[in-house]
Amino acid sequence: MTLGIDLSRIHPGFPDPVRGSQTVFRAIMDAVARPGLAVALNKAPEAPAPLARATGAIALTLLDFETPVWLDAGVLAGEAQAWLRFHCGCPLTSETQDAAFAFITRPEDGPPLSAFNAGDAKYPDRSTTVVIQLPHLEGGRPVRLKGPGIKGERTIAPQGLPGDFWEQVADNNSAFQFGVDVILASGDLLMGLPRSLQIQTEGA
Amino acid sequence: MSTAATRPNEAERYYNYAYLDEQTKRMIRRAILKALAIPGYQAPFGSREMPVPYGWGTGGIQLTAAIIGPDDVYKCIDQGADDTTNAVSIRKFFARVADVATTEDTAEATIIQTRHRIPEQPLKAGQVLVFQVPQPEPLRGLEARETETRAMHAYEEYGLQYVSLYENISAFGRIAATAGYPVMVEERYLMSPSPIPKFDNPKMDDNEAILLFGAGREKRIYAIPPHTRVRSLDFEDYPFEVQTWEENCALCGAEDSYLDEVVLDDAGNRMFVCSDSHHCGQRRAEGHVGPMAGHQLANPVAEDGQ
């Protein structure tokens, strides 16, 4: 990774990094605390292709030199890779098990959730946070959720996820305290799917 | 520039917004997200030196500093009171380093930092309650080694805690713990609620707000998301009970709030008053009257002589 970065082609990050990251973090915190709720960002800057504003804002807010990041082929191919390295200073890794964060922009081709680090029995917080970028957070196949952060039940229907995604999420929850935590991002919207989330199967 | 207008203290501030540097905030923020994803689990974090000693709320202060923004309205209570030294100092600290509006009104606040109480008024969605925690490990009194207690949490091995409660019953005829009464979160993680009176334990169950717990000296963060099941430990034949009083609040007459006993003189006179100072003041403003209404304690000297 000794290739220089062409600084003239790097997009700007937050115009005010302190204020920007604080606002975005509160939205992420709300999204993780209230799984399945679409939380809107209003201060996210434009991110380079293929990242949506919400995806880029998550990276700018949470990544730094302490967080090895795994990027899918879509992100690696675009200008986003240099942008992430410049603004966040984050190391990149090709090993899914080493990643603190993973960014997936082509969910159909991406590795399954089980490929990422599910944490340690004593330190389950050392698991990967998987950020999946989608075309829309509604209009897909409805799925019913319950668990901490949800009063009763919540129905969501994100679009563009692999066919067996909700089985992966259910498997992810079945091994709790182990598990990865997922954040869905689309446009200016975020949705948290932490490992505590339970999937209600049809008719149950 | 507009930033000068929105940050009045910027010029004379020789440190970052909200005191902590941005890398520290990111580290704490990542720990908060993992703590919310694993309710009741104690996530380690790199606790920093703060301008107050450990034991004065450094865990809560670091949590608040990592989440606070200039649009927040900040309330800080110590044992329920807004007007005690520690609460006043921490509130002034954030007014100065984070340019936030402060309040004593529970309903108006977006972030409430607390030492050892949960406000009487039910919290609502959008609020964050930040607890200052001296000892995050509920099992520490039973097992001194962190390596062991961490394994006990990992394997959900909580028999020792139940033995301890049982020994309480055999010695005292009841579960004698009154503060820091252990809870089970989502039937998975045993958690210390910090030294809040057990009177406040039921408020954590199915709460609307986000509950964050920070232990600065012990370097741990844990959390309870909204609408999470939080059960106080008990036995079928010795169910969990909260404290009750024969008295009502002497100032506002409240029958259902947590009361502090205040010794008035050497002659054995005493009064019981609401520990939640804002709750009591609000009730008095609404016209509720207790048996000692009008007592001088009802009109403390205002902060800064205002």
Side-chain angles (χ1 to χ4, degrees), chain A residues 152-179:
Chain A
E153 279 186 4
R154 183 171 284 145
T155 302
I156 61 167
Q159 216 178 87
L161 289 163
D164 67 342
F165 181 77
W166 297 110
E167 282 98 84
Q168 292 182 38
V169 171
D171 286 347
N172 187 49
N173 171 258
S174 67
F176 191 91
Q177 73 257 30
F178 298 96

Side-chain angles (χ1 to χ4, degrees), chain A residues 1 106 118 124 140 170 189 204:
Chain A
M1 301 294 266
R106 297 173 182 170
L189 296 175

Side-chain angles (χ1 to χ4, degrees), chain A residues 16-19 21-23 25-26 28-30 32-35 43 59-67 88 100-101 120-130 147-152 154 176-177 179-181 183 194-198, chain B residues 3 7 16-17 22-23 25-30 32-34 36-39 41-44 66-72 110-111 124-128 146-147 150-151 153-155 186 188-189 206 208-210 212 220 225-229:
Chain A
D16 178 350
V18 174
R19 184 86 177 90
S21 60
Q22 187 270 335
T23 315
F25 173 72
R26 285 292 278 276
I28 302 173
M29 184 171 82
D30 271 343
V32 172
R34 295 180 171 77
K43 291 227 173 180
L60 291 175
T61 302
L62 296 176
L63 305 186
D64 58 29
F65 64 91
E66 290 187 330
T67 55
C88 307
F101 286 86
D120 180 275
K122 294 178 184 174
Y123 296 95
D125 57 306
R126 293 179 184 170
S127 64
T128 309
T129 300
V130 182
I150 300 173
K151 189 170 185 63
R154 183 171 284 145
F176 191 91
Q177 73 257 30
V180 301
D181 303 305
I183 302 174
R195 73 190 78 178
S196 56
L197 193 67
Q198 294 149 34
Chain B
T3 47
R7 294 185 186 171
N16 190 30
Y17 175 80
E22 288 303 299
Q23 198 276 326
K25 288 186 196 169
R26 270 194 301 275
M27 173 269 296
I28 294 174
R29 286 167 181 170
R30 291 193 294 258
I32 291 172
L33 296 183
K34 288 298 179 188
L36 283 167
I38 319 165
Y41 163 75
Q42 300 166 47
I67 65 174
I68 204 165
D71 299 335
D72 278 309
T110 55
I111 299 175
K124 54 191 189 206
Q127 291 184 309
V128 183
E146 169 68 10
T147 49
R150 199 145 270 273
H153 286 294
Y155 309 128
E186 284 288 324
R188 175 58 187 85
Y189 276 100
D206 198 24
E208 291 278 351
I210 297 173
L212 301 178
R220 296 289 184 271
H227 306 299
T228 297
R229 288 175 294 155

Side-chain angles (χ1 to χ4, degrees), chain B residues 136-302:
Chain B
E137 180 51 74
L139 298 164
R140 185 62 71 238
L142 308 168
E143 169 55 63
R145 290 166 295 181
E146 169 68 10
T147 49
E148 288 301 307
T149 53
R150 199 145 270 273
M152 290 157 83
H153 286 294
Y155 309 128
E156 206 176 341
E157 183 55 66
Y158 296 137
L160 196 59
Q161 178 69 67
Y162 279 102
V163 171
S164 161
L165 296 179
Y166 170 75
E167 286 178 342
N168 241 257
I169 291 169
S170 58
F172 306 112
R174 62 194 170 86
I175 299 174
T178 55
Y181 191 105
V183 295
M184 193 65 98
V185 182
E186 284 288 324
E187 297 302 321
R188 175 58 187 85
Y189 276 100
L190 182 70
M191 193 196 90
S192 165
S194 86
I196 59 172
K198 65 179 175 180
F199 180 88
D200 286 340
N201 274 19
K203 296 177 188 170
M204 291 186 289
D205 184 47
D206 198 24
N207 198 307
E208 291 278 351
I210 297 173
L211 312 183
L212 301 178
F213 299 78
R217 184 189 58 217
E218 304 292 330
K219 302 177 173 59
R220 296 289 184 271
I221 287 169
Y222 52 104
I224 300 179
H227 306 299
T228 297
R229 288 175 294 155
V230 180
R231 178 175 65 85
S232 301
L233 296 189
D234 60 0
F235 297 103
E236 277 177 20
D237 48 346
Y238 285 89
F240 174 75
E241 291 175 332
V242 299
Q243 293 101 325
T244 55
W245 291 263
E246 289 170 3
E247 298 80 3
N248 296 342
C249 173
L251 301 179
C252 78
E255 299 167 11
D256 55 356
S257 80
Y258 187 81
L259 300 180
D260 284 335
E261 183 179 2
V262 181
V263 175
L264 296 173
D265 54 30
D266 291 342
N269 287 313
R270 61 195 61 211
M271 68 194 291
F272 287 84
V273 293
C274 292
S275 131
D276 186 333
S277 61
H278 172 256
H279 179 71
C280 193
Q282 195 174 41
R283 280 178 52 83
R284 277 180 272 136
E286 288 165 2
H288 295 276
V289 176
M292 293 172 78
H295 190 277
Q296 62 173 11
L297 282 179
N299 300 300
V301 181

Side-chain angles (χ1 to χ4, degrees), chain A residues 40-58:
Chain A
L41 299 177
N42 53 15
K43 291 227 173 180
E46 286 298 328
L51 300 183
R53 280 189 298 272
T55 320
I58 293 171

